[in-house]
Amino acid sequence: MPNLATDAQVRAARLTSHGLRGGRGFASVSEAVRRLGAVQAQDFVASRWVVGARVPGAVEADVDAAVASREIVRSWPLRGTLHLVPAASLRPILAVTGPRELARAAKRHRDLEIDDEVYRQARLIAERELGGGRSLSRDELFGAWQRAGIATAAQRGYHLIWRLALEAVVCPGPVEGRGQRFVLLDEWIPAAASDPTRDETLAALMTGYLDGHGPATLRDFAWWSGLTLGDARTAHAAARAAVDAFDDERLVVSGADAPTPGRSAALALAPFDEYFLGYADRSVVCDARYAQRVVPGSNGVFQPILVANGRVEGVWKAKQARGGASVVLDPFESPIDAARYRRALQRWARFRGIRLDATSVIAA
């Protein structure tokens, strides 16, 4: 039988890696994203709080400022899904993951009649319209393509943008409302003088993942990165000097703390938070009986989560009106101490720049 740490030990270590234990967190937004390696961000508003929950005193504008200063960037580097990553990491990651994602999407692109000639034309138009530091909203970019006879309905426009992003041509740039405008990547974040090797990129991906998610297994890393288990083993071999065993299955970065399990602050975390989402096996932090309460119907839409002592014990929902928010806590089991979450919810409200009004609990 393998020698495995207890679930309580794993949770304590993960809370520390995530910057969620003891109120210390990370010093800045860019540091939080660097430590996590990547933050899933198809819901841009939610991703702000994923980061903000780990940076004491942060507000939403701090995340937007880190994007504007080009310290972090949002694109499609992992699993074909939008993520926030350190700006310097984007191109190396895309060089490893992009070809695999495009190969997996080949049939879908054939069905949408997006062949190489259509893509070439769309790219030329995007480069012309965005050149010279200009930016376009998604609808404006779609309009430029449609005027040139390139249809964008039925997800054709989305897949054209997605391919342009995977091939490091465009990326989301300036923040506008709940989203971003598109820019040319070469103008937004100029390329480095030299590129790391594939193995160097895999090693950096693994150490970045373990730094902000460890302890975790190779299978967890493969799921999170969207790479094969073979690539995960290559990453482990390339990063071996910077990686230690936590137990017989899980890994951590060298020198990572091994905190003693114990009571920790209650947390009100975002939808798609990496503490729950960032693993193939989530059973250590959430009873399998309740996993579908976090992802109803396994539809890929993650709910905001309530975490006590490292365990997910429910979900929550906020209804905003007139500068305030009323929050409903939905526990998996009764009773739940609503007062214990008051501080976490007040911190979320300060981050959002709104007032926290009533807090209520749904009977389990």
Side-chain angles (χ1 to χ4, degrees):
M1 295 289 292
N3 180 24
L4 299 179
T6 67
D7 286 356
Q9 289 171 325
V10 174
R11 288 194 293 269
R14 285 186 181 173
L15 284 170
T16 300
S17 294
H18 277 268
L20 295 171
R21 186 180 174 93
R24 293 187 296 273
F26 304 125
S28 67
V29 166
S30 58
E31 172 67 5
V33 174
R34 185 192 68 78
R35 283 289 298 272
L36 289 169
V39 172
Q40 187 163 320
Q42 74 269 43
D43 183 335
F44 185 44
V45 173
S47 72
R48 288 172 170 144
W49 179 231
V50 175
V51 177
R54 291 157 169 81
V55 182
V59 295
E60 278 190 324
D62 295 328
V63 181
D64 294 353
V67 172
S69 65
R70 308 174 197 194
E71 300 169 51
I72 61 174
V73 63
R74 184 166 169 251
S75 192
W76 285 263
L78 302 177
R79 303 192 306 278
T81 300
L82 281 157
H83 284 74
L84 292 169
V85 295
S89 300
L90 179 58
R91 279 187 182 80
I93 295 173
L94 287 174
V96 171
T97 62
R100 175 175 168 80
E101 292 300 326
L102 287 171
R104 292 173 62 183
K107 182 181 184 303
R108 177 62 173 149
H109 288 176
R110 287 195 299 271
D111 292 344
L112 291 172
E113 298 182 349
I114 299 176
D115 58 20
D116 288 344
E117 179 56 24
V118 169
Y119 172 72
R120 185 189 69 81
Q121 293 176 21
R123 176 171 178 167
L124 287 173
I125 292 166
E127 289 174 331
R128 182 190 70 213
E129 295 293 323
L130 296 172
R134 293 188 296 272
S135 67
L136 293 176
S137 69
R138 185 182 69 168
D139 288 346
E140 288 167 345
L141 185 53
F142 283 7
W145 285 335
Q146 287 164 182
R147 288 190 295 274
I150 299 173
T152 61
Q155 291 198 318
R156 286 184 98 236
Y158 171 84
H159 277 271
L160 286 169
I161 289 176
W162 184 70
R163 181 171 172 181
L164 286 166
L166 288 180
E167 295 194 357
V169 179
V170 304
C171 71
V175 175
E176 184 175 67
R178 297 173 64 90
Q180 292 169 272
R181 297 173 67 82
F182 287 95
V183 293
L184 293 178
L185 180 58
D186 281 346
E187 293 184 352
W188 188 250
I189 302 171
S194 60
D195 296 324
T197 66
R198 191 175 194 276
D199 281 5
E200 287 171 340
T201 297
L202 288 172
L205 259 180
M206 168 154 280
T207 55
Y209 173 70
L210 293 175
D211 203 16
H213 293 75
T217 66
L218 285 182
R219 189 172 295 277
D220 289 326
F221 170 72
W223 181 88
W224 175 84
S225 63
L227 297 169
T228 64
L229 271 174
D231 280 336
R233 295 186 187 100
T234 299
H236 183 207
R240 193 173 296 275
V243 171
D244 289 336
F246 185 77
D247 58 22
D248 284 354
E249 291 184 358
R250 301 179 183 93
L251 303 167
V252 292
V253 291
S254 298
D257 292 338
T260 302
R263 188 175 175 86
S264 61
L267 304 167
L269 300 181
F272 303 97
D273 194 281
E274 292 286 324
Y275 183 73
F276 177 85
L277 177 147
Y279 305 87
D281 180 0
R282 297 159 183 155
S283 60
V284 170
V285 301
C286 183
D287 190 308
R289 292 174 297 166
Y290 304 123
Q292 287 226 348
R293 296 275 295 278
V294 181
V295 195
S298 300
N299 62 3
V301 179
F302 289 66
Q303 303 302 303
I305 54 176
L306 301 169
V307 178
N309 300 323
R311 288 194 63 85
V312 180
E313 68 171 13
V315 296
W316 62 284
K317 190 173 190 177
K319 183 177 181 180
Q320 295 182 217
R322 296 185 296 277
S326 298
V327 174
V328 176
L329 310 184
D330 187 1
F332 299 151
E333 299 176 351
S334 290
I336 188 172
D337 184 0
R340 190 179 178 195
Y341 284 98
R342 186 72 182 178
R343 184 175 180 181
L345 291 168
Q346 286 173 333
R347 183 176 169 189
W348 165 79
R350 285 195 300 270
F351 176 82
R352 293 295 312 275
I354 59 178
R355 182 184 64 255
L356 180 63
D357 295 331
T359 301
S360 58
V361 181
I362 296 175

